[in-house]
Amino acid sequence: MIKFFDGGMGSMLNLAAGELPEPLNISEPERVLKIHMAYAEAGADFITANTFGANALKYDNVDELVRAGVALAKKAGKKVALDLGPTGKLLKPMGELNFEDAVGLYAQVVNAGKDGSDVIIIETMSDTYELKAAVLAAKENSDLPVIASMIFDEKSRMLTGADIQTACTMLEGLGVDALGFNCGLGPKQMKPLLRELRAHTSLPIIVMPNAGLPESVNGKTVYNVSPEEFAADMKEIAEIGVSYLGGCCGTTPGHIARMTALCRDIPDSVPEKKNKTLVTSYSQTVEIGEKPVVIGERINPTGKKLFKEALRNNDMDYAVREALAQQEKGAHIIDVNVGLPEIDEVKMLCDTVFNLQSITPLPLQLDSADATALEKAMRMYNGKPMINSVNGKESNMKEVFPLVKKYGGVLVCLCLDESGIPETAGGRIEIAKKIIARAQEYGIGKNDLVVDALTMTVSTNKNNAIETLKAVKYIREELGVGTVLGVSNISFGLPNRGAVNTAFYTLALENGLSAGIINPLSEPMMNAYYSFNALRGFDDNCEEYIHFASNEKPAEKVEAVSDLKTSVIRGMKDDAAACAGALLDGGKGALDIINEYIVPALDKVGADFEANRLFLPQLLMSADSAKAAFDVIKKHLVLTGSEEKSGNKIIIATVEGDIHDIGKNIVKVLLSNYGYDVIDLGKDVKCETVLEETIKHGAKLVALSALMTTTVVNMEKTIKLIHDNTDAKTLVGGAVLTKSYADMINADYYAKDAMESVRIAKKFFGE
């Protein structure tokens, strides 16, 4: 049967503006315990400890707060869920928090609270990278079951871009025990998200909605869904199929009591096993299935003098340009190999992965023979990567399989062992069978394996291509495992290698090749790929082939980015700065550069962001690139004595009592890079201070952010002060706000996201 979690804690505590809940575990334990007991009496099977915001970024006494919170929850006589919430910081490269520092923050909470807890629930997560840090901390520091619960908007996206399939694929790879949604939406809005989640996950599901959407009534935040309506919707959710139900903001013991009464006898429903072979980035999922995929081979030092030199000089530009070029030419996954004997491969692989994930949304194949390098890169990778590779040697399998089990990934299995590479297909198939069997002993299923039957050059043995193709066909059809090949190996030592590669690639596709590691910049190879898909029925109406054939031009060389607009769109800071400098040196005016290059680039990125063609990480990288160009322009203006201050000033602040500044900082970056003079007052800013600074700077637009429902009252107070004492207008945003809520507190403008704030500013200032 379905098991039940409790409901809202913060909204039940009736906190004063800016008051934090966790210190009450020590200062007013009876106040917290009373709520726990009420939820236990309402039928909750799990009581969530009041530890959601406990981390060392906020408190010096985290251990004490967490232990007290767990002890109070335990007094309710039910199972205890140790609660981990977001840190309030974005992780690098979008923010300032290091990934391992985030792991450490969560590890401290886990170690303080694991004794006395029955499960760890990681909830209200809007970033897959922070979520991964929390999951690793939970699993590395305890043996407790781990439930991961996320915030998605009504477009089925997390703040940093992940869709439902991408997020649950990463979490399944990390080995969580259940996953689902909480916060952000009411039960009605979560129903379609639940149906989508069930289509993608194989794990038990948890759903914990808010009691509808917030409203402001007489200066207080209230939620508009009654216990009866909430319970009726939750019954429908239960019948769609879940294992756990609970409530989030605005839900009360009354909501939980009605829900448990209606849903107690509904059986739980775990989705069927999907058995798909999936790799992800932070925002995209690629399935290795019926339709073949392209793995770009060009980030590999073999035979590439320029890349070797770039690696020796720790120059990331080469790899970034290669990744972008392969992305533009149709690659689905990017292979990343940085192995050179004279460099620190562990550091270089991690640095390269970090930089590539800052620029491209494509999943990566981590390619190294060094198990340490693989582990470090897998750990810091934001998503579920491909791993290249494991082979049939016992020592190698013992090294690599535990990494895949811990971090998740799709593992490339090479058909070689202690005896080398068998000449025949039969010999390679036997090694494949051995690897598959050993993987299952580690709990790694066939869906997380792809087999490389190994491409041997045909110039040394006329049967090499034949035997490889036989093995590919058998492995795909008889063993039921995906296949991969490094295609270009077939032609070593031969003239006109491209022709041989293309012919072999076509044969391999017809024999069941799931993924070819090829050069996407080769027109003949991509022509073969799109032609095959059209002929085999993988391309509806031949749309992909027609698009390719209509637009393709030879591109065997990756040219340096030389256009400022392109540099900003791609998020390449160094190129953007260099281009801006070159334009200034060529006599181009500063204002012309901004209006003709930078602003149109940001507009293009903004439009793509709003159309879900790119996501927050790329948006911020483009903003950073624009800033790099602006910095060059500003320096030039100072040196030439022609610096001008913008008259379009915007005050921005997180309101009094609210210590969250993720959204504010994102808006600040974008507004600044559109040329506005943004005066950032920081977080937890007193209402009177906002007014004083608005008057001092003569600002005509004031942007206010709030993440906590308890601090919206201060947003309303600040708006009233601004309206009563100035002619400035107010722009508001934040996770707890809606358009109707903004209207209720008399805000002049409401921005649903950062790009909306830019559009409002442009309209307001008559641009």
PDB file of all heavy atoms in Angstrom, residues 378-397:
ATOM      1  N   MET A 378      33.799  10.996 -13.699  1.00  0.00           N
ATOM      2  CA  MET A 378      32.430  10.527 -13.481  1.00  0.00           C
ATOM      3  C   MET A 378      31.808  11.217 -12.276  1.00  0.00           C
ATOM      4  O   MET A 378      30.626  11.565 -12.282  1.00  0.00           O
ATOM      5  CB  MET A 378      32.427   9.011 -13.261  1.00  0.00           C
ATOM      6  CG  MET A 378      32.788   8.206 -14.497  1.00  0.00           C
ATOM      7  SD  MET A 378      33.076   6.453 -14.128  1.00  0.00           S
ATOM      8  CE  MET A 378      31.398   5.897 -13.801  1.00  0.00           C
ATOM      9  N   ARG A 379      32.613  11.431 -11.251  1.00  0.00           N
ATOM     10  CA  ARG A 379      32.103  12.031 -10.023  1.00  0.00           C
ATOM     11  C   ARG A 379      31.633  13.461 -10.261  1.00  0.00           C
ATOM     12  O   ARG A 379      30.563  13.865  -9.789  1.00  0.00           O
ATOM     13  CB  ARG A 379      33.183  12.000  -8.949  1.00  0.00           C
ATOM     14  CG  ARG A 379      32.738  12.536  -7.593  1.00  0.00           C
ATOM     15  CD  ARG A 379      33.840  12.415  -6.551  1.00  0.00           C
ATOM     16  NE  ARG A 379      33.418  12.909  -5.263  1.00  0.00           N
ATOM     17  CZ  ARG A 379      32.722  12.232  -4.365  1.00  0.00           C
ATOM     18  NH1 ARG A 379      32.354  10.994  -4.637  1.00  0.00           N
ATOM     19  NH2 ARG A 379      32.376  12.752  -3.203  1.00  0.00           N
ATOM     20  N   MET A 380      32.400  14.237 -11.013  1.00  0.00           N
ATOM     21  CA  MET A 380      32.044  15.640 -11.185  1.00  0.00           C
ATOM     22  C   MET A 380      31.191  15.902 -12.421  1.00  0.00           C
ATOM     23  O   MET A 380      30.789  17.031 -12.677  1.00  0.00           O
ATOM     24  CB  MET A 380      33.308  16.516 -11.234  1.00  0.00           C
ATOM     25  CG  MET A 380      34.333  16.105 -12.272  1.00  0.00           C
ATOM     26  SD  MET A 380      34.074  16.660 -13.965  1.00  0.00           S
ATOM     27  CE  MET A 380      34.188  18.407 -13.762  1.00  0.00           C
ATOM     28  N   TYR A 381      30.875  14.848 -13.175  1.00  0.00           N
ATOM     29  CA  TYR A 381      30.063  14.997 -14.377  1.00  0.00           C
ATOM     30  C   TYR A 381      28.608  15.270 -13.996  1.00  0.00           C
ATOM     31  O   TYR A 381      28.044  14.594 -13.136  1.00  0.00           O
ATOM     32  CB  TYR A 381      30.150  13.723 -15.216  1.00  0.00           C
ATOM     33  CG  TYR A 381      29.382  13.775 -16.520  1.00  0.00           C
ATOM     34  CD1 TYR A 381      29.904  14.422 -17.623  1.00  0.00           C
ATOM     35  CD2 TYR A 381      28.123  13.198 -16.633  1.00  0.00           C
ATOM     36  CE1 TYR A 381      29.200  14.486 -18.824  1.00  0.00           C
ATOM     37  CE2 TYR A 381      27.408  13.252 -17.823  1.00  0.00           C
ATOM     38  CZ  TYR A 381      27.956  13.897 -18.911  1.00  0.00           C
ATOM     39  OH  TYR A 381      27.257  13.960 -20.092  1.00  0.00           O
ATOM     40  N   ASN A 382      27.992  16.224 -14.648  1.00  0.00           N
ATOM     41  CA  ASN A 382      26.601  16.595 -14.360  1.00  0.00           C
ATOM     42  C   ASN A 382      25.680  15.835 -15.308  1.00  0.00           C
ATOM     43  O   ASN A 382      25.282  16.341 -16.355  1.00  0.00           O
ATOM     44  CB  ASN A 382      26.420  18.103 -14.515  1.00  0.00           C
ATOM     45  CG  ASN A 382      25.054  18.575 -14.041  1.00  0.00           C
ATOM     46  OD1 ASN A 382      24.243  17.790 -13.564  1.00  0.00           O
ATOM     47  ND2 ASN A 382      24.803  19.865 -14.169  1.00  0.00           N
ATOM     48  N   GLY A 383      25.325  14.616 -14.927  1.00  0.00           N
ATOM     49  CA  GLY A 383      24.463  13.780 -15.756  1.00  0.00           C
ATOM     50  C   GLY A 383      24.885  12.325 -15.660  1.00  0.00           C
ATOM     51  O   GLY A 383      25.545  11.906 -14.707  1.00  0.00           O
ATOM     52  N   LYS A 384      24.488  11.538 -16.649  1.00  0.00           N
ATOM     53  CA  LYS A 384      24.862  10.128 -16.746  1.00  0.00           C
ATOM     54  C   LYS A 384      25.679   9.960 -18.031  1.00  0.00           C
ATOM     55  O   LYS A 384      25.129   9.982 -19.129  1.00  0.00           O
ATOM     56  CB  LYS A 384      23.617   9.237 -16.788  1.00  0.00           C
ATOM     57  CG  LYS A 384      23.931   7.749 -16.887  1.00  0.00           C
ATOM     58  CD  LYS A 384      22.646   6.926 -17.025  1.00  0.00           C
ATOM     59  CE  LYS A 384      22.969   5.442 -17.201  1.00  0.00           C
ATOM     60  NZ  LYS A 384      21.749   4.641 -17.454  1.00  0.00           N
ATOM     61  N   PRO A 385      26.997   9.789 -17.922  1.00  0.00           N
ATOM     62  CA  PRO A 385      27.844   9.792 -19.108  1.00  0.00           C
ATOM     63  C   PRO A 385      27.975   8.414 -19.746  1.00  0.00           C
ATOM     64  O   PRO A 385      27.565   7.400 -19.177  1.00  0.00           O
ATOM     65  CB  PRO A 385      29.196  10.227 -18.544  1.00  0.00           C
ATOM     66  CG  PRO A 385      29.212   9.590 -17.176  1.00  0.00           C
ATOM     67  CD  PRO A 385      27.775   9.669 -16.678  1.00  0.00           C
ATOM     68  N   MET A 386      28.571   8.391 -20.947  1.00  0.00           N
ATOM     69  CA  MET A 386      29.132   7.152 -21.479  1.00  0.00           C
ATOM     70  C   MET A 386      30.535   7.004 -20.909  1.00  0.00           C
ATOM     71  O   MET A 386      31.228   8.001 -20.680  1.00  0.00           O
ATOM     72  CB  MET A 386      29.187   7.164 -23.008  1.00  0.00           C
ATOM     73  CG  MET A 386      27.863   6.912 -23.683  1.00  0.00           C
ATOM     74  SD  MET A 386      28.011   6.576 -25.460  1.00  0.00           S
ATOM     75  CE  MET A 386      28.563   4.855 -25.432  1.00  0.00           C
ATOM     76  N   ILE A 387      30.947   5.774 -20.677  1.00  0.00           N
ATOM     77  CA  ILE A 387      32.256   5.486 -20.099  1.00  0.00           C
ATOM     78  C   ILE A 387      33.025   4.595 -21.070  1.00  0.00           C
ATOM     79  O   ILE A 387      32.587   3.487 -21.381  1.00  0.00           O
ATOM     80  CB  ILE A 387      32.135   4.763 -18.737  1.00  0.00           C
ATOM     81  CG1 ILE A 387      31.169   5.503 -17.807  1.00  0.00           C
ATOM     82  CG2 ILE A 387      33.509   4.595 -18.106  1.00  0.00           C
ATOM     83  CD1 ILE A 387      31.564   6.894 -17.484  1.00  0.00           C
ATOM     84  N   ASN A 388      34.162   5.052 -21.515  1.00  0.00           N
ATOM     85  CA  ASN A 388      34.975   4.295 -22.457  1.00  0.00           C
ATOM     86  C   ASN A 388      36.356   4.070 -21.834  1.00  0.00           C
ATOM     87  O   ASN A 388      37.194   4.957 -21.866  1.00  0.00           O
ATOM     88  CB  ASN A 388      35.102   5.086 -23.775  1.00  0.00           C
ATOM     89  CG  ASN A 388      35.628   4.257 -24.925  1.00  0.00           C
ATOM     90  OD1 ASN A 388      35.967   3.109 -24.759  1.00  0.00           O
ATOM     91  ND2 ASN A 388      35.718   4.874 -26.095  1.00  0.00           N
ATOM     92  N   SER A 389      36.571   2.916 -21.129  1.00  0.00           N
ATOM     93  CA  SER A 389      35.864   1.676 -21.371  1.00  0.00           C
ATOM     94  C   SER A 389      36.264   0.655 -20.322  1.00  0.00           C
ATOM     95  O   SER A 389      37.075   0.916 -19.442  1.00  0.00           O
ATOM     96  CB  SER A 389      36.223   1.134 -22.764  1.00  0.00           C
ATOM     97  OG  SER A 389      37.641   0.954 -22.820  1.00  0.00           O
ATOM     98  N   VAL A 390      35.691  -0.555 -20.462  1.00  0.00           N
ATOM     99  CA  VAL A 390      36.125  -1.736 -19.716  1.00  0.00           C
ATOM    100  C   VAL A 390      36.466  -2.804 -20.737  1.00  0.00           C
ATOM    101  O   VAL A 390      35.986  -2.774 -21.874  1.00  0.00           O
ATOM    102  CB  VAL A 390      35.009  -2.219 -18.771  1.00  0.00           C
ATOM    103  CG1 VAL A 390      33.850  -2.855 -19.549  1.00  0.00           C
ATOM    104  CG2 VAL A 390      35.539  -3.193 -17.724  1.00  0.00           C
ATOM    105  N   ASN A 391      37.324  -3.751 -20.340  1.00  0.00           N
ATOM    106  CA  ASN A 391      37.604  -4.895 -21.211  1.00  0.00           C
ATOM    107  C   ASN A 391      37.468  -6.182 -20.426  1.00  0.00           C
ATOM    108  O   ASN A 391      37.072  -6.159 -19.255  1.00  0.00           O
ATOM    109  CB  ASN A 391      38.988  -4.765 -21.874  1.00  0.00           C
ATOM    110  CG  ASN A 391      40.111  -4.686 -20.854  1.00  0.00           C
ATOM    111  OD1 ASN A 391      40.240  -5.530 -19.967  1.00  0.00           O
ATOM    112  ND2 ASN A 391      40.956  -3.671 -20.988  1.00  0.00           N
ATOM    113  N   GLY A 392      37.780  -7.301 -21.060  1.00  0.00           N
ATOM    114  CA  GLY A 392      37.562  -8.598 -20.434  1.00  0.00           C
ATOM    115  C   GLY A 392      38.631  -9.035 -19.459  1.00  0.00           C
ATOM    116  O   GLY A 392      38.556 -10.140 -18.907  1.00  0.00           O
ATOM    117  N   LYS A 393      39.625  -8.211 -19.192  1.00  0.00           N
ATOM    118  CA  LYS A 393      40.642  -8.556 -18.197  1.00  0.00           C
ATOM    119  C   LYS A 393      40.034  -8.457 -16.804  1.00  0.00           C
ATOM    120  O   LYS A 393      39.381  -7.473 -16.472  1.00  0.00           O
ATOM    121  CB  LYS A 393      41.839  -7.615 -18.322  1.00  0.00           C
ATOM    122  CG  LYS A 393      42.588  -7.713 -19.643  1.00  0.00           C
ATOM    123  CD  LYS A 393      43.725  -6.692 -19.700  1.00  0.00           C
ATOM    124  CE  LYS A 393      44.448  -6.760 -21.032  1.00  0.00           C
ATOM    125  NZ  LYS A 393      45.522  -5.743 -21.134  1.00  0.00           N
ATOM    126  N   GLU A 394      40.283  -9.457 -15.979  1.00  0.00           N
ATOM    127  CA  GLU A 394      39.694  -9.472 -14.643  1.00  0.00           C
ATOM    128  C   GLU A 394      40.084  -8.233 -13.846  1.00  0.00           C
ATOM    129  O   GLU A 394      39.255  -7.635 -13.159  1.00  0.00           O
ATOM    130  CB  GLU A 394      40.111 -10.741 -13.894  1.00  0.00           C
ATOM    131  CG  GLU A 394      39.385 -11.991 -14.339  1.00  0.00           C
ATOM    132  CD  GLU A 394      37.887 -11.925 -14.083  1.00  0.00           C
ATOM    133  OE1 GLU A 394      37.477 -11.323 -13.067  1.00  0.00           O
ATOM    134  OE2 GLU A 394      37.121 -12.459 -14.910  1.00  0.00           O
ATOM    135  N   SER A 395      41.343  -7.840 -13.923  1.00  0.00           N
ATOM    136  CA  SER A 395      41.803  -6.684 -13.153  1.00  0.00           C
ATOM    137  C   SER A 395      41.075  -5.418 -13.585  1.00  0.00           C
ATOM    138  O   SER A 395      40.715  -4.572 -12.760  1.00  0.00           O
ATOM    139  CB  SER A 395      43.314  -6.508 -13.329  1.00  0.00           C
ATOM    140  OG  SER A 395      43.634  -6.325 -14.703  1.00  0.00           O
ATOM    141  N   ASN A 396      40.834  -5.285 -14.883  1.00  0.00           N
ATOM    142  CA  ASN A 396      40.160  -4.106 -15.398  1.00  0.00           C
ATOM    143  C   ASN A 396      38.693  -4.082 -14.991  1.00  0.00           C
ATOM    144  O   ASN A 396      38.151  -3.035 -14.604  1.00  0.00           O
ATOM    145  CB  ASN A 396      40.298  -4.054 -16.919  1.00  0.00           C
ATOM    146  CG  ASN A 396      39.762  -2.764 -17.517  1.00  0.00           C
ATOM    147  OD1 ASN A 396      38.739  -2.747 -18.181  1.00  0.00           O
ATOM    148  ND2 ASN A 396      40.443  -1.653 -17.253  1.00  0.00           N
ATOM    149  N   MET A 397      38.032  -5.219 -15.058  1.00  0.00           N
ATOM    150  CA  MET A 397      36.625  -5.277 -14.657  1.00  0.00           C
ATOM    151  C   MET A 397      36.463  -4.941 -13.180  1.00  0.00           C
ATOM    152  O   MET A 397      35.517  -4.245 -12.791  1.00  0.00           O
ATOM    153  CB  MET A 397      36.039  -6.653 -14.989  1.00  0.00           C
ATOM    154  CG  MET A 397      35.867  -6.894 -16.484  1.00  0.00           C
ATOM    155  SD  MET A 397      34.938  -8.400 -16.902  1.00  0.00           S
ATOM    156  CE  MET A 397      36.162  -9.665 -16.546  1.00  0.00           C
TER     157      MET A 397
END
